[in-house]
Amino acid sequence: MTLPRLSLQSENYSATGNLAAEGFRKLLGTPGLDLLQTVVREAAQNCCDAAKYGLGPEIHFRLRRLTDEQLAVLRQNVFGELPQPESSEAAFEDFLEREEPWVLEICDFNTIGLAGPTRADRIPTGNTATDFIDFLRNVGSRRDTGQGGGTYGYGKTSLYLSSKCSAILVDTQTEFLGENVRRMLGCHLGSAHGLTSEDGSIERRTGRHWWGIIPEGEIVADPAENSDAADLAAAIGFLPRTSERRGTSIMIVDPIFLEGELVDAETVVGMIAESMLWYFWPRLMSDTDPEKRINVRLELDGQEFPFPSPEEFPPLDNFAAAMRELRAGGNAVEEVRSQRPKKLLGHLAIRKGLKSTRIKLVPEEESIIPATSAHIAVMRPVELVVRYFQDEPLPDPRVEWSGVFVTDNASEVESAFAASEPPAHDDWQPKILPKGEAGRTYVSVAISRIQQAAREVASPSGGEAEGGGGGPSLAGVSGQFGRLLDSMSTGGAGKKDPVGGPLGVRRKNRISAPVFLRLENQAGVKLAVFETTVHHDGRNSELAAVAYPMLVVDGGAANNGAWATTPPTVLSWSQPDGTVLSTEERLILDSYSGNLEVRVAIPDDCAVILKTSLEKCGEQEL
């Protein structure tokens, strides 16, 4: 098989001027996120916008080292001609001579690929798609996806900034004028420079370069197509594609994330996983509409990297619970409205729950996952998280809270929030919008109400919402939820008597108030683990420790029978070393004295407290 050799096109300034490569880079602005997060967000948003087949997109992230054979193909068939100026040439030469040449690929499937014509100045009659030229040729094209994840394609700049060579390779399977087509094109952002022509004049170049097929007599590099593109893509290790597996693969050449402090490739993949989870968890939930649900695969140098579901990745399990409540229109969901003009702006739901042990995907100092959740995730109806509003955590460190706000899907509202996003889509900035327009008011009022709601969780005001909100107060007394965990002892929810009897005589047989330790997952069942201590003199062989689990609401403990859900169930009593002593609510003590762990199976989306007591012969001991 003879592989095609791509030719280099270096863009000249036209007589009417062009945007230099340096200006292209600056279009990203100054995102509030680091570069890797921006790359992940931009790529995933583009994938979601391109998923138009009634199926959610598959997104593959592949961090891998090129083989000697793959590197040879890049050296001879793709980057056979290196761009000027010398800084660009040196960056490519350094990569192509590297002993361990790394690349980062972002591949999507179940999407339309980069459809439409390949040249911005040639739009065939009857064609409506311009994805290819918008991504690889034009700059600053307005979105054409209704209620899409992005508004402008500026974030694609982050892909170039992520490469030490400022270069990407793009492989896409798509459709053009009713025909299936495979395309491959290389791109580089260098620096504007000049070359001396034969007549002694300076020929100015913008610093933008493409590698492709240049037809005879022309100067523009078109992408390699069909079998040429497929053969070349396979030779450098891209994932295979067919007409049934449309989509786009983007290779970031020599990713910058592997230099400096981030030298560990596994850490980089873990950070990609965290970024996807933290910003796309609504679209990763198991009950998300299949037309919107994202399927993610991570690969590190040919090996699959585990990617947890948000429902099993604290604190996203609590965010997912709030989202389910919001999607179902539950009683805890609050409408957020503006009064002048009157408009429904969106819906807000906040959940509290026991704090679970975090799953470590990266070293703690590199993680973006908060140790304690005290955040409200905000998003448009496309359900991609724009940002988080953070406030104070709850007083009890064993409990955390999470909230979700989704704008209303009315076009006037959604478009206002979309227009308030900066190029990186990582904030809502009402000042971007014109003064006096309703859209600016919508965004300002919503942000004010979200911030107020966040303050009220840990420090409730008890008053009516300001700024146009029309819902009830979100919480009761600030420390009540935490105190419930401590109040349920042998004396119940009222006055505690941990050691005493009549006249202050210390009991010989007693059990301490349970203390919540952690959450566990056992065969898909969520377990709350509590610790309690039994003091037993051994004289009464019929004495038993009994556990009573209860669901928690914002005002206190709830009668389990009043809930339309599976009640919590005691699964086991065990010693600290894991020895199981009982698999029932009751543990016959015999002569046992010491610490015990009680495991309680709890329903999804619910918090549980535990009451314990000592009983004999079916009666509570006095």
Side-chain angles (χ1 to χ4, degrees), residues 50 53 108 111-115 131-132 172-175 246-248:
Y53 290 117
D108 63 67
T111 66
I112 61 173
L114 296 177
D131 303 296
F132 188 93
T172 186
Q173 179 81 46
T174 187
E175 182 182 20
R246 291 179 181 171
T248 301

Side-chain angles (χ1 to χ4, degrees), residues 472-484:
S473 175
L474 292 171
V477 179
S478 63
Q480 189 170 41
F481 192 92
R483 289 199 299 272
L484 281 167

Side-chain angles (χ1 to χ4, degrees), residues 140-447:
S141 298
R142 184 68 175 172
R143 70 171 180 176
D144 62 357
T145 300
Q147 296 195 359
T151 52
Y152 291 91
Y154 291 148
K156 64 190 176 187
T157 310
S158 63
L159 300 171
Y160 296 94
L161 296 177
S162 300
S163 165
K164 296 176 192 176
C165 302
S166 296
I168 62 173
L169 288 175
V170 179
D171 169 38
T172 186
Q173 179 81 46
T174 187
E175 182 182 20
F176 180 51
L177 298 180
E179 298 291 333
N180 290 311
V181 62
R182 183 81 171 266
R183 294 167 170 171
M184 184 173 173
L185 190 70
C187 309
H188 166 60
L189 280 184
S191 301
H193 60 284
L195 297 176
T196 303
S197 62
E198 293 181 359
D199 61 4
S201 62
I202 301 299
E203 185 179 278
R204 294 287 296 164
R205 297 190 174 177
T206 68
R208 298 179 69 194
H209 308 265
W210 294 269
W211 286 267
I213 305 297
I214 301 179
E216 186 175 353
E218 298 197 29
I219 61 172
V220 175
D222 290 324
E225 291 194 340
N226 299 324
S227 60
D228 282 346
D231 292 344
L232 198 53
I236 58 178
F238 273 119
L239 291 175
R241 292 188 177 276
T242 65
S243 58
E244 289 76 33
R245 293 281 284 168
R246 291 179 181 171
T248 301
S249 296
I250 301 169
M251 177 188 289
I252 298 173
V253 178
D254 203 3
I256 200 170
F257 313 116
L258 292 173
E259 71 174 1
E261 295 181 359
L262 297 182
V263 295
D264 183 358
E266 186 171 348
T267 296
V268 174
V269 178
M271 294 173 71
I272 292 171
E274 281 199 350
S275 296
M276 281 299 300
L277 286 163
W278 189 234
Y279 293 107
F280 295 90
W281 59 264
R283 300 283 290 267
L284 296 167
M285 292 170 56
S286 59
D287 61 347
T288 296
D289 186 335
E291 293 189 8
K292 299 173 67 175
R293 188 170 187 269
I294 302 172
N295 296 288
V296 177
R297 295 187 65 178
L298 302 174
E299 184 182 313
L300 174 57
D301 220 11
Q303 300 296 316
E304 193 85 9
F305 190 93
F307 186 77
S309 66
E311 290 94 338
E312 297 177 357
F313 189 80
L316 298 184
D317 52 349
N318 207 33
F319 281 101
M323 176 59 86
R324 280 194 290 270
E325 182 82 5
L326 191 148
R327 288 172 176 171
N331 294 332
V333 178
E334 174 188 352
E335 288 187 346
V336 175
R337 294 179 175 272
S338 67
Q339 298 301 328
R340 292 185 300 274
K342 288 189 175 183
K343 198 72 174 179
L344 174 64
L345 304 180
H347 295 84
L348 174 67
I350 293 178
R351 295 278 302 199
K352 299 175 184 177
L354 299 176
K355 185 167 71 173
S356 303
T357 303
R358 300 302 192 245
I359 297 173
K360 301 294 184 183
L361 297 179
V362 299
E364 186 173 348
E365 62 272 14
E366 302 294 349
S367 179
I368 63 173
I369 306 301
T372 298
S373 177
H375 300 69
I376 296 177
V378 302
M379 62 200 77
R380 293 185 278 118
V382 70
E383 293 187 352
L384 307 178
V385 176
V386 173
R387 60 162 294 182
Y388 289 84
F389 286 91
Q390 181 179 2
D391 210 272
E392 293 298 318
L394 293 167
D396 192 300
R398 296 165 295 182
V399 187
E400 57 189 347
W401 64 269
S402 308
V404 179
F405 172 79
V406 182
T407 66
D408 190 63
N409 61 8
S411 177
E412 181 183 0
V413 174
E414 192 276 342
S415 60
F417 283 87
S420 75
E421 294 176 10
H425 315 297
D426 58 354
D427 200 4
W428 286 336
Q429 299 176 355
K431 290 184 178 180
I432 292 178
L433 304 175
K435 288 184 178 181
E437 288 194 0
R440 183 166 178 166
T441 301
Y442 297 158
V443 179
S444 297
V445 168
I447 291 174

Side-chain angles (χ1 to χ4, degrees), residues 43 50 59 102 110-111 149 215 242 299 349 365 388 442 454 457 516 576 591 593:
I59 305 178
W102 286 88
N110 296 334
T111 66
T242 65
E299 184 182 313
E365 62 272 14
Y388 289 84
Y442 297 158
V457 180
F516 171 73
S591 60
S593 232

